[in-house]
Amino acid sequence: PAPGLLTIHEETHIYINLNETFPCVRLLNATHQIGCQSSLSGDVGVLHLLESEENLDWVLRTGPNPPYMVILESTLFTRPILMKLKNGSSRVAGVLAVQPTSNPPEGFSPHTSCPNENTGVYSETYGPSYAHCNVTMWNPLGTGISYEEFDFPIFSVKDDNDTEVIRRCYMEHNRAVNGSTPQYPLCAMQLMSHMAAVTDTATCMRRNAPTFSLAPDGVCDPLGDANIWASTKPLNSSTKGHKDGVSVLDSRSFFFDVAPGADSAATGLVALLAAASALHNATAELNRTILYTFFNGETFDYIGSSRMVYDMAKNDFTVDLDNIHSILEVGQVALGPDSRLWLHSDPVSKRNSSVNVEVQTLVSNLQAAAAGLNLSLGEPNVTQPLPPSSFQRFLLERPIPGVVIENHQTSFTNKYYQSMFDNAEYLKLNYPPNLTPEEQLELVTDSAKVATTVARGLYLQAGGELAQMSRIQADSELVSKMLYTFLVRVNNSWFDQLVKSDWTGNRPTNFYIGVTGQYFSEPALMVQCILANLTGSIANITEGNCQDKKMDKDENMNKDRDSFCVRSLVRQSKALSPAFELSEYTSKNYSTWAESRWSAIKGRIFLVASHDLEMLTLGVGVGVLLMSLLLTYIVSSKADILFSSGREPTNATY
Amino acid sequence: MTAAVFFGCTFIAFGPAIALFLFTIAREPLRVIFLIAGAFFWLVSLLLSSLVWFISVQISNKESAAQQKGLLIFGVVLSVLLQETFRFGYYKLLKKANEGLLTLSQEETMPISIRQLAYVSGLGFGFMSGAFSVVNILADSAGPGTVGIHGDSQHYFLSSAFMTMAIILLHMFWGVVFFDACEKRCWWAVGLVVVIHLVVSCLTFQNPDYTATLVPAYVILFGMGVWAFYTAGGSLRNIKLCLTCKDKDFLLSNHRPR
């Protein structure tokens, strides 16, 4: 029997696995690769808890046991420190970032300071003075680390018991007391997040082709998903003059699959969904059709909107570009204490007087819509370009009049734009802790004002009468339920009634677009279900026949009750960048973002012994082997002498 | 702990066994066959004893640590007894096989003596026992980490390797002594071999106090080695002859027929 009998499985005595980790993965576009990479079997480094920026010296120069695995507390997860680690990466094995328990008060945005600057409408040919954020830097807190490339793995962990184990391991074994070097064995960590794709999208798509690559599964996938859109009346090709209400469905952060997207996505889409619900009964009398469009992938160079505009321009879409009368986009609309919203419009297209007139009408309709709602709407008092918005992609094709509603006059007020901190806490959705999730769901928050304004604005734009406007009111309870569902917990009683919920979780929605695949992302599915329920009508048809009906049909299933069939005009359209349709992987006009594939992502901590001890073991082993070879040779050559007593002459054996 | 420790521990554990195999067994196909058959017999004994232990664990109270430890001790004792039983069974089988080989072969004498069979079968038992003892540990030693994060001793890999080396050599010595005792119908020697095997196995319960395990194990190893040496026909006189490098002709010329 083996030594150490009471250990059933040695591996558990050597390694402690990290349970819940959020890695940083590699993304590629036409020219660059961004994100993090580890070696094939993971990177091993001695743990070091960074105490301050000066302490980086230990990691980068003076520490005796490189490479180091650096643990960064949230206050130290900044651009200067990450850049220094990147430059000294021969001594850095990886980074473990510990999430803080509450949002950092000074703000944090890993996104670029001028989002989507190369795929917006402003360029050398269109409003050159507005291009590249010359007039207004939209995201001043943006450090751009999401778009840097690191050749070591960076993982994020929550600050819980597992992280406490890591800190304790460091304190016991690795801490250098008063200038002495820490003694072996030292606490170390291994992070594994090997990314298959390299260089840029063109390279990885070329390697995806099965005839070329040794890896038959492919090395990367394009980012993409579905746009969700709906119309208030059935469409035929002769209808003209649609009003388009637009919102954004996605968000991102530095780490993979972490995208709470509260202000950057959820507020806008909840407002538009509530507006659609408020307008549901009033649309019959309107003479223009309203389209509600939710674009996916806007964070990554306008994937969804560029695809829809491309389809429209090719006459591949039910609606033509010429039939769009105006666009109203609902951007980041989380209200601050002063309840002010701003209406942004494009100064270049407004030079045309007819467009300018339409824009002014739209602005005045919106301001009329907001009257009496304790909400002030104004236009920015500087001549500035449009903020990053899907509307810009429409302007690239046609000078359509439009307005973008935002909660910032110049730069973003969102201190956590496209980061993991853009969450319910930031929106002050701070429910009292003694409420159950169901009670939190019922708590009404004051956010229906924006939805009512959007609904009334669309109503007026579509030909509704001012006198009738006041009966259009967004339901506050609906708004708070939707906010709760998207930002706090998807699995709740309200959402349960709408859809079969075996794919929902006890956590907020993840707004990351993800790769094109057979399943749609969570936000697209959720918006589709919610919009169908809010704008459709229940049809009295059994389950089997539901799918067989016309293409406008949509079916919902319910977990506890009998499934019911909903007739609505909600549709999906593909949100895959035209660059992948046209196979132009180096395109400058369209988004070319792709996500690398990987095999395993995990991390574990353990102790490492000194190199000397390892070499000593090897030396002893080789010595034992040589000694035994020698001894055996000697003994076997003299065997008949050594073992001869008590034996008959040698030719007899018994 | 990386490749250095992996190879170091492999050489420590299997070094003597590999040396013995290379120089004394590899050239003779019959010995190889009997070695592998011996290993197989040990494997079957392990299978049986682990089956019994597994069943008893399933029906036991999994929460009670004392009961689990008791079951483990029971399992170890049962395993030792089964191994020795199978060694005896292999002896019986080899006796029968030898008669058959004699009728088959054209020579008048047996191609392989019982003494050689004892050595080869003991080594076969040792190889398989060593493999099962240490292969899992070697696989873990190839990874980047070493034992210790939960507070266990760092010398786990090294002591496992040394213990395995001792066990392999012990099995070889036990084989020699056991077969000889069976030939001479010396049942007390057989019983003593079983008792010593039990003692060595139970020594490992003292882990992680590796000194208390390894030192007695090596003392017993030395003792068994001496006993096996004498059983196999060695004596102090032969060693002196060997060391003073008298050659074979001198020996033959001095050898008086009985």
Side-chain angles (χ1 to χ4, degrees), chain A residues 578-629:
Chain A
F580 293 100
E581 292 293 315
L582 301 167
S583 295
E584 280 172 22
Y585 304 126
T586 50
S587 162
K588 290 199 186 16
N589 305 324
Y590 299 115
S591 164
T592 48
W593 287 104
E595 182 189 275
S596 166
R597 291 203 192 183
W598 57 83
S599 50
I601 292 195
K602 47 189 177 181
R604 54 189 182 176
I605 59 169
F606 43 86
L607 295 188
V608 283
S610 68
H611 196 59
D612 298 335
L613 188 61
E614 296 176 5
M615 286 301 142
L616 181 69
T617 313
L618 181 63
V620 168
V622 170
V624 164
L625 180 67
L626 291 177
M627 270 276 292
S628 29
L629 284 170

Tab-separated table of all heavy atoms in Angstrom, chain A residues 578-629:
chain	number	residue	atom	x	y	z
A	578	PRO	N	-21.166	43.632	-41.805
A	578	PRO	CA	-21.051	43.402	-43.254
A	578	PRO	C	-19.657	42.964	-43.674
A	578	PRO	O	-19.500	42.301	-44.695
A	578	PRO	CB	-21.402	44.759	-43.859
A	578	PRO	CG	-22.207	45.443	-42.830
A	578	PRO	CD	-21.734	44.957	-41.506
A	579	ALA	N	-18.651	43.313	-42.883
A	579	ALA	CA	-17.290	42.893	-43.240
A	579	ALA	C	-17.187	41.382	-43.336
A	579	ALA	O	-16.440	40.857	-44.158
A	579	ALA	CB	-16.294	43.410	-42.202
A	580	PHE	N	-17.942	40.657	-42.518
A	580	PHE	CA	-17.866	39.198	-42.565
A	580	PHE	C	-18.730	38.640	-43.677
A	580	PHE	O	-18.446	37.575	-44.211
A	580	PHE	CB	-18.261	38.607	-41.208
A	580	PHE	CG	-17.268	38.927	-40.134
A	580	PHE	CD1	-17.507	39.949	-39.234
A	580	PHE	CD2	-16.084	38.228	-40.041
A	580	PHE	CE1	-16.578	40.263	-38.256
A	580	PHE	CE2	-15.159	38.536	-39.061
A	580	PHE	CZ	-15.402	39.555	-38.183
A	581	GLU	N	-19.799	39.361	-44.046
A	581	GLU	CA	-20.593	38.927	-45.200
A	581	GLU	C	-19.798	39.076	-46.469
A	581	GLU	O	-19.813	38.236	-47.358
A	581	GLU	CB	-21.857	39.789	-45.309
A	581	GLU	CG	-22.844	39.578	-44.196
A	581	GLU	CD	-23.469	38.195	-44.238
A	581	GLU	OE1	-23.850	37.774	-45.338
A	581	GLU	OE2	-23.544	37.558	-43.186
A	582	LEU	N	-19.078	40.201	-46.554
A	582	LEU	CA	-18.316	40.482	-47.767
A	582	LEU	C	-16.921	39.877	-47.717
A	582	LEU	O	-16.163	40.027	-48.665
A	582	LEU	CB	-18.175	42.008	-47.933
A	582	LEU	CG	-19.481	42.775	-48.040
A	582	LEU	CD1	-19.201	44.266	-47.868
A	582	LEU	CD2	-20.120	42.520	-49.382
A	583	SER	N	-16.599	39.246	-46.626
A	583	SER	CA	-15.259	38.694	-46.403
A	583	SER	C	-14.170	39.742	-46.523
A	583	SER	O	-13.058	39.449	-46.961
A	583	SER	CB	-14.961	37.543	-47.360
A	583	SER	OG	-15.823	36.476	-47.084
A	584	GLU	N	-14.496	40.971	-46.167
A	584	GLU	CA	-13.489	42.039	-46.167
A	584	GLU	C	-12.954	42.182	-44.751
A	584	GLU	O	-13.372	43.062	-44.018
A	584	GLU	CB	-14.125	43.361	-46.577
A	584	GLU	CG	-14.314	43.558	-48.039
A	584	GLU	CD	-15.131	44.825	-48.273
A	584	GLU	OE1	-15.156	45.692	-47.379
A	584	GLU	OE2	-15.772	44.922	-49.325
A	585	TYR	N	-12.034	41.333	-44.362
A	585	TYR	CA	-11.638	41.320	-42.962
A	585	TYR	C	-10.728	42.468	-42.586
A	585	TYR	O	-10.407	42.642	-41.421
A	585	TYR	CB	-10.966	39.989	-42.616
A	585	TYR	CG	-11.832	38.801	-42.942
A	585	TYR	CD1	-11.362	37.776	-43.744
A	585	TYR	CD2	-13.130	38.715	-42.469
A	585	TYR	CE1	-12.155	36.691	-44.058
A	585	TYR	CE2	-13.933	37.639	-42.781
A	585	TYR	CZ	-13.437	36.631	-43.577
A	585	TYR	OH	-14.219	35.558	-43.879
A	586	THR	N	-10.274	43.247	-43.555
A	586	THR	CA	-9.450	44.411	-43.214
A	586	THR	C	-10.219	45.697	-43.452
A	586	THR	O	-9.636	46.753	-43.595
A	586	THR	CB	-8.169	44.423	-44.065
A	586	THR	OG1	-8.560	44.239	-45.433
A	586	THR	CG2	-7.244	43.312	-43.659
A	587	SER	N	-11.516	45.587	-43.460
A	587	SER	CA	-12.343	46.749	-43.782
A	587	SER	C	-12.144	47.871	-42.781
A	587	SER	O	-12.039	47.632	-41.581
A	587	SER	CB	-13.805	46.316	-43.791
A	587	SER	OG	-14.644	47.419	-43.692
A	588	LYS	N	-12.124	49.110	-43.281
A	588	LYS	CA	-12.049	50.256	-42.373
A	588	LYS	C	-13.425	50.829	-42.114
A	588	LYS	O	-13.587	51.650	-41.220
A	588	LYS	CB	-11.168	51.345	-42.994
A	588	LYS	CG	-9.723	50.977	-43.050
A	588	LYS	CD	-8.891	52.223	-43.223
A	588	LYS	CE	-7.405	51.970	-43.448
A	588	LYS	NZ	-7.000	50.656	-43.822
A	589	ASN	N	-14.400	50.428	-42.893
A	589	ASN	CA	-15.716	51.043	-42.757
A	589	ASN	C	-16.615	50.280	-41.812
A	589	ASN	O	-17.507	50.865	-41.219
A	589	ASN	CB	-16.418	51.100	-44.121
A	589	ASN	CG	-15.576	51.800	-45.136
A	589	ASN	OD1	-14.892	52.748	-44.800
A	589	ASN	ND2	-15.618	51.342	-46.367
A	590	TYR	N	-16.415	48.979	-41.753
A	590	TYR	CA	-17.306	48.174	-40.943
A	590	TYR	C	-16.541	47.561	-39.788
A	590	TYR	O	-15.326	47.435	-39.814
A	590	TYR	CB	-17.917	47.046	-41.781
A	590	TYR	CG	-18.742	47.536	-42.942
A	590	TYR	CD1	-18.359	47.294	-44.249
A	590	TYR	CD2	-19.919	48.250	-42.733
A	590	TYR	CE1	-19.118	47.738	-45.303
A	590	TYR	CE2	-20.676	48.698	-43.788
A	590	TYR	CZ	-20.276	48.444	-45.076
A	590	TYR	OH	-21.019	48.883	-46.127
A	591	SER	N	-17.306	47.120	-38.775
A	591	SER	CA	-16.679	46.471	-37.632
A	591	SER	C	-16.071	45.139	-38.051
A	591	SER	O	-16.666	44.392	-38.815
A	591	SER	CB	-17.751	46.215	-36.569
A	591	SER	OG	-17.290	45.284	-35.633
A	592	THR	N	-14.876	44.853	-37.591
A	592	THR	CA	-14.234	43.580	-37.924
A	592	THR	C	-13.891	42.806	-36.664
A	592	THR	O	-13.000	41.979	-36.660
A	592	THR	CB	-12.930	43.815	-38.715
A	592	THR	OG1	-12.182	44.817	-38.035
A	592	THR	CG2	-13.206	44.235	-40.127
A	593	TRP	N	-14.603	43.026	-35.582
A	593	TRP	CA	-14.245	42.392	-34.309
A	593	TRP	C	-14.546	40.908	-34.296
A	593	TRP	O	-15.613	40.473	-34.707
A	593	TRP	CB	-14.987	43.063	-33.150
A	593	TRP	CG	-14.435	44.414	-32.838
A	593	TRP	CD1	-14.985	45.615	-33.148
A	593	TRP	CD2	-13.194	44.689	-32.189
A	593	TRP	NE1	-14.178	46.630	-32.730
A	593	TRP	CE2	-13.065	46.083	-32.127
A	593	TRP	CE3	-12.178	43.901	-31.659
A	593	TRP	CZ2	-11.968	46.711	-31.556
A	593	TRP	CZ3	-11.080	44.515	-31.083
A	593	TRP	CH2	-10.994	45.913	-31.049
A	594	ALA	N	-13.587	40.149	-33.805
A	594	ALA	CA	-13.759	38.708	-33.646
A	594	ALA	C	-13.183	38.324	-32.286
A	594	ALA	O	-12.312	39.001	-31.765
A	594	ALA	CB	-13.040	37.961	-34.764
A	595	GLU	N	-13.710	37.219	-31.755
A	595	GLU	CA	-13.246	36.767	-30.442
A	595	GLU	C	-12.481	35.473	-30.636
A	595	GLU	O	-12.930	34.569	-31.346
A	595	GLU	CB	-14.464	36.544	-29.538
A	595	GLU	CG	-14.136	36.124	-28.132
A	595	GLU	CD	-15.396	35.727	-27.384
A	595	GLU	OE1	-16.072	36.610	-26.830
A	595	GLU	OE2	-15.711	34.524	-27.371
A	596	SER	N	-11.338	35.360	-29.960
A	596	SER	CA	-10.531	34.147	-30.100
A	596	SER	C	-11.213	32.968	-29.424
A	596	SER	O	-12.033	33.137	-28.530
A	596	SER	CB	-9.170	34.396	-29.454
A	596	SER	OG	-8.494	33.180	-29.274
A	597	ARG	N	-10.831	31.779	-29.836
A	597	ARG	CA	-11.294	30.585	-29.122
A	597	ARG	C	-10.241	30.159	-28.119
A	597	ARG	O	-9.072	30.465	-28.265
A	597	ARG	CB	-11.515	29.429	-30.095
A	597	ARG	CG	-12.663	29.659	-30.996
A	597	ARG	CD	-13.189	28.364	-31.520
A	597	ARG	NE	-14.117	28.626	-32.604
A	597	ARG	CZ	-14.791	27.709	-33.241
A	597	ARG	NH1	-14.617	26.448	-32.900
A	597	ARG	NH2	-15.623	28.019	-34.198
A	598	TRP	N	-10.700	29.439	-27.101
A	598	TRP	CA	-9.752	28.915	-26.125
A	598	TRP	C	-10.240	27.560	-25.656
A	598	TRP	O	-11.373	27.178	-25.869
A	598	TRP	CB	-9.633	29.866	-24.930
A	598	TRP	CG	-10.933	30.135	-24.268
A	598	TRP	CD1	-11.562	29.374	-23.329
A	598	TRP	CD2	-11.788	31.256	-24.499
A	598	TRP	NE1	-12.745	29.949	-22.964
A	598	TRP	CE2	-12.916	31.105	-23.649
A	598	TRP	CE3	-11.712	32.370	-25.328
A	598	TRP	CZ2	-13.946	32.041	-23.618
A	598	TRP	CZ3	-12.741	33.290	-25.290
A	598	TRP	CH2	-13.841	33.113	-24.444
A	599	SER	N	-9.330	26.779	-25.016
A	599	SER	CA	-9.748	25.451	-24.562
A	599	SER	C	-10.117	25.448	-23.096
A	599	SER	O	-11.187	25.004	-22.730
A	599	SER	CB	-8.659	24.432	-24.842
A	599	SER	OG	-7.441	24.925	-24.365
A	600	ALA	N	-9.252	25.929	-22.233
A	600	ALA	CA	-9.579	25.875	-20.806
A	600	ALA	C	-9.194	27.190	-20.171
A	600	ALA	O	-8.175	27.771	-20.503
A	600	ALA	CB	-8.832	24.739	-20.133
A	601	ILE	N	-10.030	27.624	-19.249
A	601	ILE	CA	-9.676	28.826	-18.478
A	601	ILE	C	-9.814	28.475	-17.014
A	601	ILE	O	-10.892	28.169	-16.540
A	601	ILE	CB	-10.596	29.993	-18.846
A	601	ILE	CG1	-10.320	30.426	-20.266
A	601	ILE	CG2	-10.388	31.130	-17.887
A	601	ILE	CD1	-10.875	31.752	-20.639
A	602	LYS	N	-8.711	28.428	-16.321
A	602	LYS	CA	-8.775	28.117	-14.896
A	602	LYS	C	-7.561	28.675	-14.177
A	602	LYS	O	-6.589	29.072	-14.811
A	602	LYS	CB	-8.875	26.615	-14.682
A	602	LYS	CG	-7.905	25.816	-15.465
A	602	LYS	CD	-8.249	24.340	-15.346
A	602	LYS	CE	-7.308	23.542	-16.212
A	602	LYS	NZ	-7.567	22.139	-16.187
A	603	GLY	N	-7.637	28.656	-12.876
A	603	GLY	CA	-6.505	29.119	-12.075
A	603	GLY	C	-6.423	28.294	-10.814
A	603	GLY	O	-7.422	27.744	-10.343
A	604	ARG	N	-5.222	28.179	-10.266
A	604	ARG	CA	-5.066	27.449	-9.016
A	604	ARG	C	-3.844	27.968	-8.278
A	604	ARG	O	-2.912	28.494	-8.890
A	604	ARG	CB	-4.934	25.945	-9.251
A	604	ARG	CG	-3.834	25.592	-10.218
A	604	ARG	CD	-3.892	24.122	-10.567
A	604	ARG	NE	-2.802	23.770	-11.466
A	604	ARG	CZ	-2.552	22.539	-11.875
A	604	ARG	NH1	-3.321	21.539	-11.453
A	604	ARG	NH2	-1.555	22.289	-12.683
A	605	ILE	N	-3.852	27.793	-6.950
A	605	ILE	CA	-2.681	28.194	-6.160
A	605	ILE	C	-2.080	26.978	-5.480
A	605	ILE	O	-2.767	25.978	-5.227
A	605	ILE	CB	-3.022	29.273	-5.108
A	605	ILE	CG1	-4.095	28.778	-4.140
A	605	ILE	CG2	-3.439	30.554	-5.760
A	605	ILE	CD1	-4.251	29.710	-2.966
A	606	PHE	N	-0.779	27.081	-5.200
A	606	PHE	CA	-0.050	25.950	-4.609
A	606	PHE	C	1.273	26.493	-4.099
A	606	PHE	O	1.587	27.668	-4.253
A	606	PHE	CB	0.205	24.855	-5.651
A	606	PHE	CG	0.653	25.386	-6.980
A	606	PHE	CD1	1.995	25.651	-7.225
A	606	PHE	CD2	-0.256	25.648	-7.980
A	606	PHE	CE1	2.406	26.157	-8.446
A	606	PHE	CE2	0.144	26.155	-9.199
A	606	PHE	CZ	1.476	26.414	-9.432
A	607	LEU	N	2.076	25.600	-3.468
A	607	LEU	CA	3.424	26.002	-3.058
A	607	LEU	C	4.424	25.500	-4.084
A	607	LEU	O	4.253	24.426	-4.657
A	607	LEU	CB	3.770	25.385	-1.699
A	607	LEU	CG	2.941	25.840	-0.496
A	607	LEU	CD1	3.548	25.274	0.771
A	607	LEU	CD2	2.893	27.345	-0.408
A	608	VAL	N	5.488	26.279	-4.278
A	608	VAL	CA	6.583	25.809	-5.120
A	608	VAL	C	7.837	25.663	-4.275
A	608	VAL	O	8.074	26.448	-3.361
A	608	VAL	CB	6.900	26.754	-6.304
A	608	VAL	CG1	5.890	26.586	-7.382
A	608	VAL	CG2	6.982	28.175	-5.867
A	609	ALA	N	8.627	24.660	-4.622
A	609	ALA	CA	9.885	24.447	-3.910
A	609	ALA	C	11.006	25.131	-4.665
A	609	ALA	O	10.872	25.478	-5.827
A	609	ALA	CB	10.166	22.946	-3.809
A	610	SER	N	12.125	25.293	-3.992
A	610	SER	CA	13.228	26.003	-4.633
A	610	SER	C	13.829	25.143	-5.727
A	610	SER	O	13.765	23.918	-5.709
A	610	SER	CB	14.293	26.355	-3.609
A	610	SER	OG	14.915	25.155	-3.165
A	611	HIS	N	14.429	25.822	-6.658
A	611	HIS	CA	15.057	25.146	-7.777
A	611	HIS	C	16.147	24.198	-7.289
A	611	HIS	O	16.352	23.111	-7.837
A	611	HIS	CB	15.650	26.209	-8.697
A	611	HIS	CG	15.988	25.696	-10.047
A	611	HIS	ND1	15.053	25.128	-10.880
A	611	HIS	CD2	17.155	25.650	-10.711
A	611	HIS	CE1	15.640	24.764	-11.998
A	611	HIS	NE2	16.921	25.061	-11.930
A	612	ASP	N	16.859	24.620	-6.228
A	612	ASP	CA	17.958	23.796	-5.709
A	612	ASP	C	17.448	22.465	-5.205
A	612	ASP	O	18.065	21.414	-5.445
A	612	ASP	CB	18.669	24.528	-4.570
A	612	ASP	CG	19.273	25.817	-5.060
A	612	ASP	OD1	19.556	25.888	-6.272
A	612	ASP	OD2	19.434	26.729	-4.250
A	613	LEU	N	16.324	22.503	-4.503
A	613	LEU	CA	15.781	21.251	-3.974
A	613	LEU	C	15.391	20.313	-5.102
A	613	LEU	O	15.589	19.094	-5.040
A	613	LEU	CB	14.564	21.557	-3.092
A	613	LEU	CG	13.982	20.384	-2.315
A	613	LEU	CD1	15.023	19.825	-1.373
A	613	LEU	CD2	12.762	20.838	-1.521
A	614	GLU	N	14.841	20.902	-6.176
A	614	GLU	CA	14.457	20.068	-7.312
A	614	GLU	C	15.672	19.419	-7.935
A	614	GLU	O	15.668	18.221	-8.256
A	614	GLU	CB	13.729	20.913	-8.355
A	614	GLU	CG	12.418	21.493	-7.861
A	614	GLU	CD	11.782	22.399	-8.882
A	614	GLU	OE1	12.294	22.518	-10.006
A	614	GLU	OE2	10.755	23.013	-8.547
A	615	MET	N	16.709	20.186	-8.118
A	615	MET	CA	17.920	19.641	-8.722
A	615	MET	C	18.548	18.591	-7.811
A	615	MET	O	19.097	17.594	-8.283
A	615	MET	CB	18.922	20.757	-9.006
A	615	MET	CG	18.515	21.598	-10.188
A	615	MET	SD	18.356	20.577	-11.665
A	615	MET	CE	16.957	21.308	-12.436
A	616	LEU	N	18.449	18.817	-6.511
A	616	LEU	CA	18.978	17.843	-5.564
A	616	LEU	C	18.241	16.521	-5.694
A	616	LEU	O	18.859	15.440	-5.703
A	616	LEU	CB	18.834	18.382	-4.136
A	616	LEU	CG	19.361	17.481	-3.024
A	616	LEU	CD1	20.871	17.405	-3.107
A	616	LEU	CD2	18.950	18.023	-1.667
A	617	THR	N	16.916	16.602	-5.808
A	617	THR	CA	16.133	15.381	-5.983
A	617	THR	C	16.555	14.652	-7.251
A	617	THR	O	16.730	13.423	-7.255
A	617	THR	CB	14.641	15.732	-6.067
A	617	THR	OG1	14.314	16.614	-5.034
A	617	THR	CG2	13.796	14.486	-5.982
A	618	LEU	N	16.729	15.409	-8.312
A	618	LEU	CA	17.145	14.776	-9.564
A	618	LEU	C	18.517	14.142	-9.403
A	618	LEU	O	18.768	13.014	-9.854
A	618	LEU	CB	17.171	15.818	-10.682
A	618	LEU	CG	17.563	15.285	-12.054
A	618	LEU	CD1	16.550	14.283	-12.532
A	618	LEU	CD2	17.696	16.418	-13.052
A	619	GLY	N	19.411	14.875	-8.724
A	619	GLY	CA	20.752	14.335	-8.516
A	619	GLY	C	20.731	13.054	-7.701
A	619	GLY	O	21.410	12.072	-8.048
A	620	VAL	N	19.956	13.056	-6.635
A	620	VAL	CA	19.854	11.847	-5.813
A	620	VAL	C	19.311	10.696	-6.637
A	620	VAL	O	19.795	9.560	-6.563
A	620	VAL	CB	18.966	12.123	-4.585
A	620	VAL	CG1	18.608	10.837	-3.881
A	620	VAL	CG2	19.671	13.062	-3.632
A	621	GLY	N	18.302	10.999	-7.461
A	621	GLY	CA	17.723	9.941	-8.286
A	621	GLY	C	18.733	9.352	-9.249
A	621	GLY	O	18.872	8.119	-9.373
A	622	VAL	N	19.439	10.229	-9.931
A	622	VAL	CA	20.434	9.735	-10.882
A	622	VAL	C	21.515	8.952	-10.147
A	622	VAL	O	21.974	7.901	-10.609
A	622	VAL	CB	21.027	10.922	-11.662
A	622	VAL	CG1	22.222	10.474	-12.459
A	622	VAL	CG2	19.990	11.523	-12.579
A	623	GLY	N	21.897	9.459	-8.978
A	623	GLY	CA	22.911	8.744	-8.186
A	623	GLY	C	22.445	7.359	-7.796
A	623	GLY	O	23.181	6.371	-7.932
A	624	VAL	N	21.207	7.273	-7.330
A	624	VAL	CA	20.673	5.962	-6.933
A	624	VAL	C	20.658	5.017	-8.127
A	624	VAL	O	21.035	3.837	-8.038
A	624	VAL	CB	19.251	6.139	-6.335
A	624	VAL	CG1	18.514	4.826	-6.283
A	624	VAL	CG2	19.332	6.757	-4.962
A	625	LEU	N	20.257	5.538	-9.262
A	625	LEU	CA	20.185	4.693	-10.455
A	625	LEU	C	21.563	4.185	-10.839
A	625	LEU	O	21.767	2.978	-11.092
A	625	LEU	CB	19.556	5.488	-11.601
A	625	LEU	CG	19.410	4.728	-12.908
A	625	LEU	CD1	18.397	3.619	-12.748
A	625	LEU	CD2	19.001	5.646	-14.039
A	626	LEU	N	22.528	5.068	-10.869
A	626	LEU	CA	23.872	4.663	-11.282
A	626	LEU	C	24.476	3.672	-10.303
A	626	LEU	O	25.083	2.673	-10.689
A	626	LEU	CB	24.761	5.900	-11.426
A	626	LEU	CG	24.405	6.812	-12.592
A	626	LEU	CD1	25.282	8.037	-12.601
A	626	LEU	CD2	24.535	6.064	-13.912
A	627	MET	N	24.258	3.979	-8.996
A	627	MET	CA	24.775	3.081	-7.969
A	627	MET	C	24.178	1.696	-8.104
A	627	MET	O	24.884	0.682	-8.015
A	627	MET	CB	24.415	3.635	-6.583
A	627	MET	CG	25.430	4.544	-6.012
A	627	MET	SD	26.717	3.592	-5.212
A	627	MET	CE	25.771	2.949	-3.854
A	628	SER	N	22.883	1.635	-8.313
A	628	SER	CA	22.254	0.319	-8.399
A	628	SER	C	22.693	-0.405	-9.662
A	628	SER	O	22.889	-1.634	-9.654
A	628	SER	CB	20.740	0.395	-8.309
A	628	SER	OG	20.253	1.576	-8.781
A	629	LEU	N	22.878	0.344	-10.752
A	629	LEU	CA	23.378	-0.307	-11.972
A	629	LEU	C	24.755	-0.914	-11.716
A	629	LEU	O	25.026	-2.075	-12.072
A	629	LEU	CB	23.450	0.703	-13.124
A	629	LEU	CG	22.113	1.071	-13.777
A	629	LEU	CD1	22.288	2.240	-14.732
A	629	LEU	CD2	21.554	-0.109	-14.535
